[in-house]
Amino acid sequence: MDMRPILPPGRARPHVYDARQRDVEAFNYFTERNLDAISQIHQLPADLRFDMQVVSSVLPFKVNSYVVDQLIDWSDIPDDPIFQLTFPQKGMLSEEHFERMATLHRRAAPRAELKEEANRIRLELNPHPAGQTTLNVPRLDQEPLPGLQHKYRETVLFFPTAGQTCHAYCTFCFRWAQFVGMSDLRFAAKEATQLAEYVRRHPEVTNVLLTGGDPMVMKTHKLEQYVNPLLDPALEHLQTIRFGTKSVAYWPQRFVTDADADDLLRLFDRIIESGRSVAVMAHYNHHREMETAIAREAVRRIRDTGAVIRSQSPLLSHINDNAGVWELMWREQVRLGIIPYYMFVERDTGAEEYFKIPLARAYKLFREAYRHVNGLARTVRGPSMSANPGKVEITGVTEVAGEKVFVLRFLQGRNPDWVGRPFFARYDKEASWMTHLRPAFGQEKFFFEEELERMTLKKEQETRLE
Ligand SMILES: *Cc1c(COP(=O)(O)O)cnc(C)c1O
Ligand code: SF4
């Protein structure tokens, strides 16, 4: 069967960006409060609009005019992948949750009541998967630094306070809880100086990853406040500054026509001049996000600075559950000079029921796409689960001594010694997350489990001592 996707009819594939058309575009966005202001919505059936209203009162919704006007194919609703990626769908809530919210909407309940019910439902959706709130928070002089995560030896994640939103929200996002105003579910940094000080005291840290939300929602001068302290020559062990961002797909104007786009590229220049590299960890979900002229221009301009763009993408039902989409995505990335980096498995949070794909199928799709691209695209690794013990890759499905097994390995581990060591789980065609897997060959535990339990206990004790 040919699984190649067909580009929607009439969608031109402009390769060249016309710089004469470098008009500054205002950033217009829509949320659940002004969903109706999107003119394309008016043509949709009333029940679909009601469903969107209900779901968006629980899960975050935000989309901008570029995504609406240039990425979504409105002749293919509701199946269009970018529509599925950004607009709430009924199936994203369980029937029970949906009904609880829908009942309130039908009788036009007051906002406060809607909010209360929404918060109750949110707490039932595993808002903080993989022990993010406590296990990964580092300390400086015993003081917890809630805007930092230090899970893997060499990499510190930094969540700048001013970067806790995105140019649009992905319906599957595992960080959804940060966006819905549940204040105790947010973690954000107060100060950039704490970050630099933390890095100074940790010579094992070779790279800092600014993430969010999306750090590129910040104006360049704000971003500079966070980055500048890291360029101190005293932090010689810091080799790379990474920016985790979806802006290259959702708002490429950030790098081309925004008033401070050039300043941002100069910031990249300055990081590189300081003897470090810049890695833009670009989040893509579909090849269509790379097909507009401005998206390609953004990639070209970023690469012109010497920054390297690596792509990471979760595998999602309704959006890119198709080997052909991945094949095309990786091919386009290689064409544009983007390095394919990770294929992720959707996390066990939020609307995961809607998006999840069994690990066995994820592996099959990965391999199908991987087989069809050349070696330059095979820098991609996956399918990978960002689970509590680490990033675990499904390396294969095979049979060992008559038992069907998953072959797994850590790409990152809480203990770096775990990395690269193959291990085996019983094959299970329904399993869709690490916690569903059991060790193969009649073993009680995976090789890392006892150590992980000890690490968890130690962290819990430290927290309790306060
Ligand atoms: C993925 C991830 C990183 C970065 O991992 P790389 O394999 O180096 O890209 C760092 N910290 C956390 C918590 C992560 O989930
Ligand atoms: S851009 Fe990233 S952080 Fe923002 S909603 Fe999408 S996946 Fe989540």
Side-chain angles (χ1 to χ4, degrees):
M1 186 176 65
D2 190 0
M3 302 221 279
R4 270 163 222 266
I6 298 163
L7 287 172
R11 188 173 286 277
R13 310 185 82 211
H15 285 258
V16 184
Y17 180 75
D18 183 355
R20 284 166 307 180
Q21 293 180 351
R22 217 174 144 220
D23 295 334
V24 176
E25 260 179 84
F27 180 73
N28 283 321
Y29 70 95
F30 308 93
T31 69
E32 89 283 1
R33 285 166 189 257
N34 63 345
L35 190 64
D36 283 336
I38 304 171
S39 60
Q40 288 91 337
I41 291 285
H42 297 231
Q43 283 122 53
L44 303 182
D47 58 336
L48 204 68
R49 294 202 320 255
F50 177 75
D51 294 350
M52 292 201 274
Q53 204 57 259
V54 172
V55 176
S56 68
S57 55
V58 178
L59 298 172
F61 168 66
K62 178 178 179 183
V63 70
N64 67 60
S65 48
Y66 169 75
V67 174
V68 168
D69 295 332
Q70 297 198 50
L71 296 187
I72 293 175
D73 177 0
W74 289 94
S75 69
D76 186 27
I77 303 302
D79 295 336
D80 179 77
I82 312 294
F83 180 73
Q84 292 282 331
L85 171 66
T86 50
F87 281 77
Q89 312 290 327
K90 185 172 184 186
M92 291 175 187
L93 290 179
S94 70
E95 259 173 60
E96 190 227 316
H97 286 163
F98 184 89
E99 270 316 307
R100 270 159 66 183
M101 263 345 269
T103 312
L104 296 184
H105 277 275
R106 277 186 207 109
R107 65 171 168 81
R111 232 187 138 76
E113 205 178 324
L114 287 171
K115 199 172 156 192
E116 221 172 272
E117 186 66 9
N119 280 343
R120 265 194 297 272
I121 293 173
R122 287 164 182 159
L123 287 170
E124 291 168 32
L125 296 174
N126 188 21
H128 272 289
Q132 286 186 79
T133 22
T134 51
L135 262 185
N136 307 329
V137 174
R139 279 149 195 273
L140 194 64
D141 297 328
Q142 305 311 314
E143 190 69 26
L145 301 173
L148 265 63
Q149 271 187 37
H150 193 182
K151 179 170 177 180
Y152 306 130
R153 185 175 54 194
E154 303 203 15
T155 308
V156 167
L157 258 58
F158 181 59
F159 299 79
T161 314
Q164 296 304 306
T165 182
C166 308
H167 290 102
Y169 288 146
C170 310
T171 41
F172 63 82
C173 180
F174 72 91
R175 292 189 175 139
W176 62 274
Q178 284 167 253
F179 306 135
V180 289
M182 304 187 83
S183 56
D184 55 331
L185 294 178
R186 291 164 67 121
F187 31 82
K190 276 189 233 93
E191 283 212 76
T193 45
Q194 284 178 324
L195 167 66
E197 182 56 21
Y198 184 83
V199 173
R200 194 178 67 79
R201 294 197 206 171
H202 288 267
E204 74 277 18
V205 172
T206 59
N207 65 111
V208 166
L209 171 52
L210 274 86
T211 179
D214 193 322
M216 292 304 169
V217 298
M218 288 189 272
K219 291 277 183 283
T220 303
H221 71 86
K222 193 91 198 168
L223 209 50
E224 279 172 337
Q225 287 171 14
Y226 292 112
V227 172
N228 284 346
L230 297 172
L231 304 186
D232 187 338
L235 307 181
E236 210 192 331
H237 53 287
L238 187 64
Q239 300 170 341
T240 304
I241 298 187
R242 305 201 224 183
F243 298 92
T245 185
K246 173 96 195 163
S247 58
V248 198
Y250 275 167
W251 189 249
Q253 290 82 344
R254 182 71 190 88
F255 306 92
V256 185
T257 54
D258 273 9
D260 59 348
D262 289 353
D263 297 338
L264 177 59
L265 301 179
R266 295 297 80 75
L267 174 62
F268 289 0
D269 287 341
R270 278 204 298 118
I271 298 171
I272 292 166
E273 280 159 17
S274 83
R276 301 179 173 87
S277 58
V278 173
V280 174
M281 311 304 290
H283 170 195
Y284 285 108
N285 301 101
H286 199 276
H287 52 81
R288 194 182 300 163
E289 296 166 324
M290 287 167 255
E291 283 163 8
T292 65
I294 194 159
R296 288 168 187 244
E297 178 67 1
V299 169
R300 192 191 66 74
R301 296 190 99 220
I302 295 168
R303 293 189 62 239
D304 251 11
T305 67
V308 172
I309 309 176
R310 294 179 196 271
S311 74
Q312 40 192 39
S313 330
L315 175 60
L316 303 152
S317 189
H318 302 281
I319 294 174
N320 57 27
D321 183 4
N322 175 318
V325 169
W326 287 85
E327 182 188 328
L328 216 70
M329 188 151 68
W330 293 336
R331 279 184 196 282
E332 283 305 298
Q333 285 168 359
V334 170
R335 181 207 298 278
L336 298 173
I338 300 171
I339 301 172
Y341 189 60
Y342 274 132
M343 176 204 263
F344 285 123
V345 176
E346 164 65 352
R347 287 195 189 203
D348 53 342
T349 177
E352 68 114 8
E353 277 301 319
Y354 188 75
F355 292 113
K356 78 175 178 194
I357 292 175
L359 301 177
R361 178 164 167 78
Y363 170 69
K364 201 164 156 244
L365 285 167
F366 177 88
R367 194 165 158 268
E368 179 71 21
Y370 191 83
R371 282 194 302 129
H372 283 105
V373 292
N374 73 35
L376 297 175
R378 291 193 190 143
T379 46
V380 70
R381 291 159 308 156
S384 164
M385 294 174 274
S386 268
N388 185 27
K391 280 190 169 66
V392 178
E393 180 193 77
I394 301 136
T395 308
V397 172
T398 189
E399 225 177 82
V400 178
E403 185 175 338
K404 196 168 182 186
V405 294
F406 285 116
V407 185
L408 307 164
R409 69 173 174 145
F410 280 100
L411 299 174
Q412 288 288 5
R414 275 192 193 277
N415 179 346
D417 286 345
W418 301 344
V419 173
R421 182 142 40 130
F423 64 105
F424 301 90
R426 256 186 256 161
Y427 181 78
D428 173 348
K429 82 177 188 336
E430 305 296 332
S432 61
W433 195 247
M434 189 66 196
T435 46
H436 307 159
L437 296 178
R438 299 311 318 145
F441 316 128
Q443 279 170 333
E444 282 281 304
K445 289 187 172 181
F446 290 118
F447 77 89
F448 56 87
E449 277 186 293
E450 278 181 13
E451 192 179 346
L452 181 67
E453 282 160 22
R454 280 198 301 275
M455 288 166 128
T456 312
L457 219 83
K458 190 161 163 266
K459 277 279 177 195
E460 278 170 3
Q461 280 163 354
E462 280 171 16
T463 317
R464 229 176 287 132
L465 283 178
E466 282 171 4

